[in-house]
Amino acid sequence: MKKDKRNIRRREQIHNKYKKATVDIFIKVLLVIGIIGLIFPLRPKMSDVEKRELTKFPKPTFETFMNGEFTSQISTWYADTFPFRETFMVADAKVKHLYGLNEEEIHGETVVADEIPEAGEVKASLEDEPEDGTLYVEPQKAGTIYVADNMGFELYGFSAQGATDYAAMLNNVAKKVGDDAVVYDIIAPTSIAVNLDEKIQKQIGSSNQREAFEYIEELLDDEVEWVPVLAVLKKHNSEYLYFKTDHHWTADGAYYAYQELMKKKGGKACKLSEYTKKEYEGFVGSFYSYSGQSETLLNNPDTVVTYTPQVNDMIYIDKSGNEQQGQVITDPTDYSEGNKYLCFIAGDESYSRIDNPNITDGSSCIIVKESYANAFVPFLVNSYGTVHVVDYRYYVGDLTEFVKENNIQDVIFLNNAHALTPKAVKKMNSIWG
Amino acid sequence: MLVFSLIFYSWAGPKYLILLLVMVFVSWICALIIEENQGTKWSRMFLIGDLVFMLGILGIFKYLKFFAGITHSVIGLPAEIPQIVLPVGISFYTFQLISYVVDVYRQEVKAQRKFSNLLLYASLFHQCIAGPIVRYQLVADEIEHRKVKMNEMWYGIKRFTVGLAKKAVLANGCASVADTLLPTVGKELAQVPAGGLFAGLLFYSLQIYLDFSAYSDMAIGMGRMIGFHYDENFNYPYIAKSIKDFWNRWHISLSTFFRDYVYIPLGGNRKGDRRRTINLFIVWSLTGFWHGASWNYIFWGLYFFVFVTLENKVLLSKLNKLPSAVGHVYAMTVVYFGWALFRSESLGNLRIIFKGMLGLGGNGFMNMPTLILLKNNIFLLIFCIAASTPLLKKLGLLIRKALCRVQNVPHVLYTCEAIEPVMLLLISFLSLIGNSYNPFLYFQF
């Protein structure tokens, strides 16, 4: 009995020591976190994964101070720029991976999509509102990402108004350039339409791109040359045509589109062997960030394959309006793992030009595009004396005039399926005088 | 402590601090006058004056927008609905101050002489924002004499980190699933299949319990660290066997507040059946309304009124004869659908949810994205359900006992106990950093 009591007392004493240690450790860890949080030079300013500038320390005004906005901005800033934030975020994603079974994953909200209408059911709205001159770079909601088979897919939501407007815009441009040039239209399908069975596309709530493209094709006037690429990409879908971790196609995917364009033109496409092939490993693209850092994608990085054309020099106008020297293909080895797609034509610039002195027949084209065309443009360099590249989101000017002045024969539109929204189309339309 | 609490409170906007100071000041003066004039009509008048003032302020800040909205749509006045921002924690500290003044009037406590002590009571940083509603009686002594003991500190840390992880990891995890399956935009909501709505509501039910009880855990824990003892606010409400039982386990400090300061003064159950039903009706409307100035919260309160009344009249005596599982299923079904009311501030959304659940939404029972989402979160779901019951606690006790039997001094157990708070802290920290994840999307291609 006595021994028992003594035992219990001993146990309690030891327990108390442990308790003291617990309190001690806890307070110390808390202090360490607090101190790390106070080392301002360690605070990151940019997020590579999220592709954004992190919150800046707020400037107080009397009003924001009084209504609590200032302090809430400080809280945002504090959390947003915490030292080693990206490391912590990756660790957090690892924890979240434990929430369930992950042979397939879905990230993001339900996709809101329109039914695909009959031709004539929807009226074009191009002229409805006055155009705005602001740059089209507002943030959008991340798409819904489906991960299966170690590959990410972005769900596609068809916009009936966007598609209708897109066709109307092309018809409009064809009228404006008249006999000066031929308008070609390439709509790049996204990986979901090429690599996933149509039935599964429907099941996960993604609109059918084949039907969407057919709808647009039907609305186009005869003056617009439609270049179909979905069927050929689908036929070759066992090849590496789309990145697993990024929403873009690979250069190999873009090459098939280039072939189809040349076929439509009645010209000859250069063989892949006429370009210098290089491979760069370790690309983890946008799907990784859109999916809230899916572990599966992080563990399956992509390889960027590039094909350098005969000429690798280009000039471009950067976003501040200055002319710069650049390269058609830049070695992305030193680029961060999320940025390797920028190796193609220096990323998205408002205007770029590539002259190929080996071609002296005076041929030239202009390509109106978003980033899908970046992997595509290098192929054109071997087929045209001059390639003009315009990113409609940043370009300001009058392309109708530009086509006339520069004697351009081919006007090529290259957009991916997701670009067919009323707002984007309005911007495309606004640069044609 | 006071200064720290006030700074903490001002974090949400210094101008509301002035409001807090005024309200505490009025309560302080009123309580002193009431005590001085005990038993005279003055004390009664000052009590009424104080109540009118406090509820008036709460009414203006919390409910004016709501009432203005009604009169605006009925008689067109006022022409413009005033936009008033709800000061942080006003619902909680108003009730605390009211309970204090009423208790002084009832001579249950002595009035606090020092303004700063009363201010500390109202603004204690860890509970003034999300409860629990602490009675002045309970802490009267500790405000003036409190001691920090190592043992208490240890318990406080344990309790706080459990609450933190519950909030940061479990509740936020459930919230992100619930938000995907029950979007607030009607057009998106209408596309969710029936199974998705059911699952979404389940995640939401878990979220709301875990979130709310986590705040109470953290408040109780922090209180302990600095020498305050608060009553428990939640007692595993999701194992309740009737609605009455549920409300004895859910947000206990709120239901006892309404019981002691509304239901019983109105006569409670002492004035006959009819009067009791009316009293219950008032209490439940107020309970609902307290949660938010919108019709759905009132309906939510009345929804429970209906079931509590039914239980009083017939149901409870019948339930007692049946196996307890029946009562449990019944209570949880009622609570579960109640959260649908709680969730939808717009009645249109509520209609979409119920229509969809009945299979009339035209989206079938299940679709692939919903199914994948559920699979991706299945362990989280199971864990959260377990965490809402005493299961984890019992498991912990079992392990503890086993370890104590094996070793005379269970070093392994103590070591685990020592590591636990730090682990919970770190994992919550990761989760909170992860929350700031916000990919910036240029026009995305």
Side-chain angles (χ1 to χ4, degrees):
Chain A
M1 197 59 192
K2 219 175 178 183
K3 202 183 154 201
D4 253 17
K5 253 192 187 157
R6 207 183 306 140
N7 254 341
I8 290 176
R9 194 173 314 139
R10 205 172 82 87
R11 184 192 286 183
E12 236 156 51
Q13 273 172 359
I14 293 177
H15 198 183
N16 276 338
K17 270 189 200 151
Y18 269 101
K19 285 182 181 175
K20 213 170 170 180
T22 311
V23 175
D24 244 36
I25 295 171
F26 180 80
I27 291 174
K28 276 180 190 146
V29 171
L30 209 58
L31 271 178
V32 168
I33 294 180
I35 289 169
I36 293 176
L38 285 178
I39 308 178
F40 292 147
L42 280 183
R43 289 189 170 262
K45 294 195 173 59
M46 283 290 297
S47 164
D48 206 31
V49 178
E50 294 158 272
K51 302 255 191 315
R52 70 185 170 101
E53 211 175 323
L54 298 170
T55 319
K56 288 206 180 83
F57 193 85
K59 283 199 189 84
T61 65
F62 182 70
E63 201 185 326
T64 60
F65 178 72
M66 283 313 275
N67 65 17
E69 232 172 83
F70 174 61
T71 44
S72 108
Q73 284 163 351
I74 290 186
S75 306
T76 316
W77 164 81
Y78 187 83
D80 206 32
T81 61
F82 202 87
F84 313 114
R85 172 169 177 275
E86 300 224 329
T87 322
F88 289 131
M89 286 197 312
V90 171
D92 181 49
K94 283 207 164 74
V95 173
K96 294 218 161 79
H97 205 63
L98 301 173
Y99 283 6
L101 304 164
N102 298 294
E103 74 267 25
E104 287 175 296
E105 298 167 31
I106 193 118
H107 302 273
E109 331 246 296
T110 316
V111 174
V112 178
D114 299 333
E115 294 289 322
I116 291 160
E118 296 289 319
E121 249 179 76
V122 180
K123 263 189 70 194
S125 67
L126 275 182
E127 310 298 336
D128 281 4
E129 290 158 44
E131 300 147 5
D132 59 8
T134 45
L135 285 187
Y136 201 73
V137 287
E138 63 191 61
Q140 286 227 333
K141 222 164 72 173
T144 305
I145 307 298
Y146 168 64
V147 181
D149 232 0
N150 298 331
M151 180 162 179
F153 300 95
E154 182 173 9
L155 268 54
Y156 170 60
F158 175 74
S159 155
Q161 193 62 61
T164 312
D165 289 357
Y166 184 70
M169 180 275 300
L170 289 172
N171 293 340
N172 182 29
V173 171
K175 261 191 212 96
K176 279 191 173 155
V177 297
D179 294 333
D180 295 336
V182 185
V183 174
Y184 294 92
D185 177 40
I186 307 173
I187 305 180
T190 54
S191 59
I192 194 164
V194 173
N195 287 329
L196 274 192
D197 185 63
E198 281 193 10
K199 236 199 265 156
I200 297 181
Q201 292 178 37
K202 197 175 171 197
Q203 277 174 1
I204 55 173
S206 183
S207 309
N208 187 316
Q209 292 186 12
R210 181 179 51 78
E211 288 171 15
F213 299 166
E214 281 168 6
Y215 170 72
I216 292 168
E217 191 186 352
E218 210 180 326
L219 293 180
L220 292 178
D221 291 344
D222 293 339
E223 286 74 38
V224 180
E225 293 289 345
W226 167 260
V227 183
V229 294
L230 176 60
V232 63
L233 287 167
K234 238 177 168 165
K235 202 172 120 198
H236 294 275
N237 69 4
S238 60
E239 296 165 31
Y240 193 15
L241 304 183
Y242 287 89
F243 293 112
K244 293 176 287 185
T245 66
D246 193 81
H247 64 279
H248 293 108
W249 55 9
T250 62
D252 289 280
Y255 179 74
Y256 283 111
Y258 161 72
Q259 274 187 325
E260 291 304 306
L261 173 70
M262 287 300 141
K263 207 194 277 174
K264 192 82 185 186
K265 265 174 65 73
K268 217 172 118 279
C270 289
K271 291 203 188 88
L272 267 183
S273 54
E274 292 170 46
Y275 301 84
T276 319
K277 183 176 173 180
K278 281 204 181 107
E279 292 183 15
Y280 304 97
E281 284 176 355
F283 174 42
V284 180
S286 60
F287 284 164
Y288 175 60
S289 95
Y290 290 179
S291 65
Q293 303 183 302
S294 159
E295 271 285 290
T296 316
L297 294 179
L298 183 63
N299 295 333
N300 289 283
D302 278 298
T303 299
V304 181
V305 180
T306 60
Y307 297 94
T308 311
Q310 294 165 1
V311 176
N312 202 27
D313 292 325
M314 61 178 244
I315 58 148
Y316 65 90
I317 312 283
D318 69 12
K319 283 174 188 120
S320 4
N322 303 317
E323 193 174 303
Q324 304 274 3
Q325 298 289 327
Q327 288 184 310
V328 178
I329 304 287
T330 315
D331 181 342
T333 312
D334 296 334
Y335 292 4
S336 67
E337 59 176 15
N339 280 336
K340 299 214 188 280
Y341 188 78
L342 294 182
C343 67
F344 299 110
I345 60 168
D348 293 325
E349 304 296 345
S350 62
Y351 170 78
S352 325
R353 198 179 84 223
I354 305 135
D355 292 306
N356 184 347
N358 305 328
I359 298 173
T360 48
D361 59 0
S363 61
S364 65
C365 69
I366 182 165
I367 178 160
V368 181
K369 61 99 196 176
E370 32 82 4
S371 63
Y372 251 69
N374 298 4
F376 174 87
V377 168
F379 297 115
L380 295 179
V381 175
N382 281 10
S383 296
Y384 287 94
T386 303
V387 178
H388 303 271
V389 185
V390 161
D391 194 313
Y392 68 86
R393 295 163 297 175
Y394 309 103
Y395 185 80
V396 188
D398 178 357
L399 288 183
T400 315
E401 276 299 305
F402 188 88
V403 167
K404 280 198 183 117
E405 275 171 20
N406 291 284
N407 268 326
I408 293 168
Q409 302 100 42
D410 294 344
V411 175
I412 304 161
F413 279 84
L414 176 51
N415 288 284
N416 83 76
H418 284 271
L420 310 180
T421 67
K423 269 178 143 180
V425 174
K426 232 172 221 133
K427 184 70 185 116
M428 282 180 226
N429 196 46
S430 71
I431 50 179
W432 292 91
Chain B
M1 181 60 58
L2 179 62
V3 173
F4 188 72
S5 286
L6 293 181
I7 293 176
F8 179 79
Y9 189 77
S10 329
W11 200 252
K15 69 179 172 193
Y16 304 126
L17 186 62
I18 299 166
L19 185 71
L20 177 69
L21 288 171
V22 169
M23 288 175 83
V24 173
F25 184 74
V26 169
S27 305
W28 178 61
I29 294 279
C30 283
L32 285 175
I33 295 174
I34 288 169
E35 198 175 55
E36 279 300 298
N37 300 285
Q38 208 62 260
T40 69
K41 64 176 182 183
W42 285 111
S43 92
R44 197 173 170 79
M45 273 182 59
F46 269 92
L47 173 71
I48 293 170
D50 178 70
L51 287 180
V52 168
F53 177 77
M54 299 300 258
L55 293 174
I57 298 257
L58 185 63
I60 289 171
F61 280 96
K62 194 166 175 179
Y63 299 113
L64 189 63
K65 208 162 109 186
F66 174 68
F67 286 120
I70 296 176
T71 55
H72 175 79
S73 57
V74 177
I75 55 171
L77 278 173
E80 226 171 274
I81 299 170
Q83 294 300 319
I84 297 167
V85 183
L86 188 64
V88 178
I90 189 169
S91 313
F92 288 97
Y93 66 72
T94 307
F95 272 33
Q96 294 204 163
L97 289 170
I98 288 177
S99 84
Y100 162 69
V101 176
V102 173
D103 285 352
V104 169
Y105 174 77
R106 290 177 179 168
Q107 301 187 24
E108 286 174 14
V109 288
K110 276 196 167 158
Q112 174 59 254
R113 311 258 134 212
K114 271 193 186 158
F115 174 69
S116 61
N117 278 344
L118 192 64
L119 184 59
L120 178 63
Y121 162 66
S123 68
L124 263 178
F125 67 93
H126 45 268
Q127 41 86 334
C128 91
I129 286 178
I133 299 166
V134 177
R135 298 277 194 85
Y136 180 72
Q137 315 177 24
L138 192 70
V139 290
D141 202 34
E142 287 168 342
I143 284 183
E144 286 161 54
H145 325 277
R146 59 173 190 276
K147 274 198 201 111
V148 182
K149 289 186 201 139
M150 209 275 299
N151 239 329
E152 304 265 290
M153 186 81 178
W154 173 76
Y155 178 80
I157 286 174
K158 246 177 100 157
R159 190 66 189 263
F160 172 76
T161 48
V162 167
L164 184 66
K166 215 169 168 185
K167 160 75 188 153
V169 181
L170 301 184
N172 286 356
C174 286
S176 96
V177 183
D179 289 345
T180 310
L181 291 176
L182 300 174
T184 42
V185 182
K187 198 179 163 195
E188 289 170 28
L189 190 60
Q191 300 203 342
V192 181
L197 294 171
F198 277 105
L201 197 51
L202 180 61
F203 274 101
Y204 183 63
S205 309
L206 291 167
Q207 175 205 340
I208 237 178
Y209 163 68
L210 293 166
D211 195 273
F212 211 168
S213 72
Y215 276 117
S216 292
D217 286 336
M218 289 192 272
I220 292 170
M222 286 203 262
R224 279 297 184 88
M225 290 187 217
I226 54 172
F228 284 103
H229 291 76
Y230 307 135
D231 287 341
E232 289 297 328
N233 203 19
F234 288 86
N235 179 22
Y236 301 111
Y238 287 164
I239 60 167
K241 294 186 172 58
S242 69
I243 293 306
K244 281 182 95 166
D245 188 19
F246 174 77
W247 277 96
N248 284 331
R249 294 163 174 279
W250 178 274
H251 203 352
I252 299 167
S253 64
L254 180 72
S255 22
T256 48
F257 180 92
F258 276 115
R259 187 191 67 205
D260 294 350
Y261 298 101
V262 183
Y263 182 65
I264 293 179
L266 281 174
N269 54 8
R270 287 162 293 146
K271 293 192 178 166
D273 241 19
R274 228 177 106 190
R275 184 59 192 270
R276 178 189 183 190
T277 310
I278 293 171
N279 290 344
L280 280 174
F281 180 81
I282 295 171
V283 167
W284 286 107
S285 317
L286 290 176
T287 304
F289 205 35
W290 179 85
H291 283 86
S294 167
W295 281 109
N296 66 307
Y297 297 111
I298 301 179
F299 290 143
W300 180 72
L302 292 179
Y303 172 82
F304 283 112
F305 159 72
V306 170
F307 285 98
V308 168
T309 312
L310 271 177
E311 283 182 4
N312 281 334
K313 291 224 149 74
V314 281
L315 222 55
L316 217 50
S317 54
K318 280 187 184 157
L319 276 177
N320 284 337
K321 288 177 203 145
L322 294 166
S324 64
V326 178
H328 182 67
V329 170
Y330 142 77
M332 282 312 98
T333 313
V334 172
V335 170
Y336 174 79
F337 287 108
W339 292 130
L341 272 169
F342 197 82
R343 166 96 186 173
S344 331
E345 286 200 7
S346 113
L347 296 179
N349 278 1
L350 188 68
R351 214 175 49 228
I352 298 174
I353 291 179
F354 283 134
K355 208 173 131 192
M357 282 180 155
L358 289 171
L360 302 175
N363 301 312
F365 181 71
M366 205 23 107
N367 63 12
M368 212 164 118
T370 310
L371 201 65
I372 298 172
L373 185 70
L374 292 180
K375 271 193 197 160
N376 289 169
N377 289 284
I378 188 76
F379 300 137
L380 176 72
L381 178 66
I382 294 170
F383 191 81
C384 286
I385 291 176
S388 309
T389 66
L391 206 72
L392 290 181
K393 199 175 187 178
K394 279 188 181 153
L395 199 70
L397 280 176
L398 267 173
I399 295 172
R400 178 173 306 234
K401 263 190 191 155
L403 283 172
C404 283
R405 215 171 295 141
V406 179
Q407 276 180 302
N408 190 13
V409 180
H411 287 284
V412 179
L413 176 68
Y414 294 160
T415 313
C416 289
E417 271 185 348
I419 297 170
E420 183 201 282
V422 174
M423 292 305 289
L424 289 175
L425 176 71
L426 290 179
I427 207 169
S428 310
F429 172 75
L430 283 185
S431 213
L432 291 173
I433 291 276
N435 273 353
S436 77
Y437 184 77
N438 180 17
F440 184 75
L441 303 153
Y442 276 93
F443 189 45
Q444 52 166 298
F445 1 89

